[in-house]
Amino acid sequence: MKKFNFRKVLDGLTASSPGSGSSSGSNSGGTGSGPLHPGGTAGVLREEIQETLTSEYFQICKTVRHGFPYQPTALAFDPVQKILAIGTRTGAIRILGRPGVDCYCQHESGAAVLQLQFLVNEGALVSAGSDDTLHLWNLRQKRPAILHSLKFNRERITYCHLPFQSKWLYVGTERGNTHIVNIESFILSGYVIMWNKAIELSTKTHPGPVVHLSDSPRDEGKLLIGYENGTVVFWDLKSKRAELRVYYDEAIHSIDWHHEGKQFMCSHSDGSLTLWNLKSPTRPFQTTIPHGKSQREGRKSESCKPILKVEYKTCRNSEPFIIFSGGLSYDKACRRPSLTIMHGKAITVLEMDHPIVEFLTLCETPYPNEFQEPYAVVVLLEKDLIVVDLTQSNFPIFENPYPMDIHESPVTCTAYFADCPPDLILVLYSIGVKHKKQGYSNKVWPISGGAWNLGAQTYPEIIITGHADGSIKFWDASAITLQMLYKLKTSKVFEKQKVGEGKQSCEIVEEDPFAVQMIYWCPESRIFCVSGVSAYVIIYKFSRYEITTEIVSLEVRLQYDVEDIITPEPETSPPFPDLSSQLPSSRSLSGSTNTVASEGVTKDSIPCLNVKTRPVRMPPGYQAELVIQLVWVDGEPPQQITSLAVSSAYGIVAFGNCNGLAVVDFIQKTVLLSMGTIDLYRSNDLYQRQPRSPRKNKQFIGGLTELNDSPVPLELERCKSPTSENRENSYNRSRSSSISSIDKDSKEAITALYFMESFARKNDSTISPCLFVGTSLGMVLIISLNVPLSDEQRFTEPVIVLPSGTFLSLKGAVLTFSCMDRTGGLMQPPYEVWRDPNSVDENEKTWKRKLVMNYSSSSQDIGDHQYIIICSEKQAKVFSLPSQTCLYVHNITETSFILQADVVVMCNSACLTCFCANGHIMIMSLPSLRPMLDVNYLPLTDMRIARTFCFTNEGQALYLVSPTEIQRLTYSQEMCDNLQDMLGDLFTPIETPEAQNRGFLKGLFGGSGQTFDREELFGEATAGKASRSLAQHIPGPGSIEGMKGAAGGVMGELTRARIALDERGQRLGELEEKTAGMMTSAEAFSKHAHELMLKYKDKKWYQF
């Protein structure tokens, strides 16, 4: 039967249906695309522009996840492979090695990970979940897969222990029983240690869940079982009886052995540590409460908080390390979570910024019966991962090479730039490295396992994150890695809020007044612009030199005056207000206009924040060029900014909100335009707005309550920070006429801005600087910019800004613009080549502004074909300019709305990418808007995703998948095919270090002389089969059984033959390994026997 490619069929149907397009005014339920004029201009366009992109170029797949694992619960370390695993409450596992080795895998059930256990140097990992299921992960592949699962049906898993170089896993349960699982087959053994056999028969109470399991370092045939109520049982596996029992009146949280196997230490719920000797189990050999107050003799020491975990690690040349978490005194309620390190008589308390989830001590040897020689401690906190160096007396921490601090302050917005200028990464790093923290350990990062190569993808990528505290972080994201380059603190341009001024201030947010809301960056000119939640815009320029200067600021009054309309006659309101009143002069905020209005007085013309008035030292990097603030108007706070655009070539920044549009010249530091949205239409307003009653002076509290149906005042809604629990509710874009707050208020917000050299009016013969303005009602306005040409005039002559009277319309709020030339090439907006504004080089100072226009200035070259692509929440349209003919329209969605849309370059061709609220990612060709991909990728479960999702060139995208993690994905088929080569290897072949020679006498008298055969004891022949109802074996997708289940169809026989060959090869390999091991053991035995014979050869019988 012939196989059809559905995507090819889709392309063919779309290409062969020129008449299937829907008009711009269509209200049909389905989606449609195609030319509005099949025989006219569109036909010429098809002949001229050959679209090279087809559906075969696109495929969606996740690439890598960056950041700190959200809500961590478990930690494990392979001391030979030197890789670290972290489990989370959502069922995720992150495996980390050397920089570049970072793997994410997820349990399908989503159950929390309770515990992780590496099969040391075997390339495998066991995970225990809160759904009482054990999973065996294969790490010998770049994408780990589950080989086996074992679901416990009648008992809950509480603790697991896998002895070194053993294939039998001990599993403790909530009922107090201990089961044993074969790791190779993942089948339960018939050998069970029942709780009622482990404790004394005279004991009347249940000992509680199993909280600890470990085999004796001295004798593998002895198992130490710790129960929650304070009972510890030393179980002889061969004789199936308890060799000794230990009782303590405080609950046990953890246990650890001394490497000689004669002593063990317990941590308890009263903050005490007890040291027990196997020879005298009646009472502890030593009891200490490290952080308890010293009491008089005969009195019990004061109880402290529980010690949740203790590790007892020995050293050959010094005192042992006793490391524990918790145990602080109750009277120190304000003390932060701490890790205590006891080494000899020295006690060091390391205070942490976040609660401790788990910690592990890294030791030189994987063998539990040798001196451990600890060298570091990995501490997993709720929101951080740190590694402490134990080899230095001051215990410094290692510098973390992973991007674990993305969430240092909550992320509020993101931007992604692929294939940016290559020198930018080096420039940003050279500036940022000067501000790095000092005092780190000089040792090499100890988690150094795995292998990673750069791969074929070499173009530079930069990710920018904006944060709630006003900071901006630039990250090098090249080759699926992430490393912070440079950090910018935007809050430094404002005065700090004094204590006690909170209620009287003009801030419009209760917390995080400096939170970053929008980012605009021009990599070529290095102009950076940011807008904040407190209705401000800051323009930054990049410089390699430090300067000290005053911060120049402007105040802009944006007011929506639709309620002031009393009569519909156009003569009552001028079509274009006098601009002279809208052009305040440049000034530094040194006057009294920023003083806070007293209570009871209507706030007017007051900004939300106070810009610093004194000269400010600005280090190399991004330096504030201009601060623009919206001000209060008649007691109403300024609305948050909804759109932002900057043109370095024109020296202009434009921004808008639900009140109107502001255009500012940041070269001359003047306001060019500050106008309500309704005024932009002049007398050509296409929407009939109902006049409202005259406005009355209102106080700040509850001032706009009548405009909101909810009992919560609108100001209080607006005051919520982007990082607050309900911050997503302030995502103000028009969703439908029934639910949009903008539509309720009859306000038309500015939702998209775009600078471009284009045709401002219909049938213009020449191009000129233009500003495209998109609104929440789907209207597009073109504003003409008259910018002086020469450098001298640009610094002295004013820029004239005039609405052109050109309007275009779409359904839904406008999201993005882009422009194409007549050949189908994507036209980039003009930009100014970067030069250092503070250069000390005289030649550089005299340079003129160098502008790159990205096209020919001849109108004949442009002709009648410049194509503007506009995408709204509902549809996309392509217009031909200057004729303003709508060539193509595609109704993208009727039942949902688009959250993010971008025109990107892929394989040297442009396409339109969209992320919809229903989770679909859609890609359309340009200019024909032919659908090439529609994948139901990710349902919108959190507005965090909507706020941070962004596309970029070369098939890349990202979003904030959790408050602490960035998920990157690709929609490129080529990158999906090459992804395996780009990912790191988790497992590398390493020989397991040899055990230390214990010596003849120590081996003879130091422990059990018999070798312990677990296979003989736990195998089916001796122990029998476990009850089928106790646990259910589930083959994983990566197992041989899973592959057998997948083998079928035409290739089934070949697949089964290959599986059989793999099984045979696996068995032969295991046989070869066992044979080699037996030969090595025989050689060692022969060598020792020969040495013993030589030693006693000439001795008489009485000399023994």
Side-chain angles (χ1 to χ4, degrees), residues 49 261 366 513 558 573-574 639 675 973 1004 1008:
I49 299 178
L558 266 184
S573 58
Q639 301 296 310
M675 186 178 293
Q973 177 69 60
L1004 187 62
S1008 174

Side-chain angles (χ1 to χ4, degrees), residues 14 83 113 229 249 252 258 273 307 424 429 435 525 568 667 684 686 746 763 792 870 876 882 938 1009 1100:
T14 308
I83 56 176
V113 179
N229 73 340
D249 54 1
I252 292 176
H258 187 281
L273 295 173
I307 295 179
L424 270 179
Y429 179 78
H435 304 286
S525 65
I667 293 179
N684 298 323
L686 303 183
S746 298
N763 298 322
E792 294 78 9
I870 310 172
L938 177 74
K1100 303 299 182 181

Side-chain angles (χ1 to χ4, degrees), residues 6-20:
F6 180 75
R7 290 189 296 186
K8 288 184 178 179
V9 174
L10 181 64
D11 287 342
L13 287 174
T14 308
S16 61
S17 305
S20 64

Side-chain angles (χ1 to χ4, degrees), residues 732-753:
N732 285 333
R733 279 185 178 163
S734 172
R735 295 297 170 241
S736 69
S737 59
S738 62
I739 65 172
S740 171
S741 61
I742 294 174
D743 290 340
K744 284 181 184 178
D745 217 3
S746 298
K747 288 189 175 183
E748 185 174 7
I750 306 298
T751 57
L753 296 167

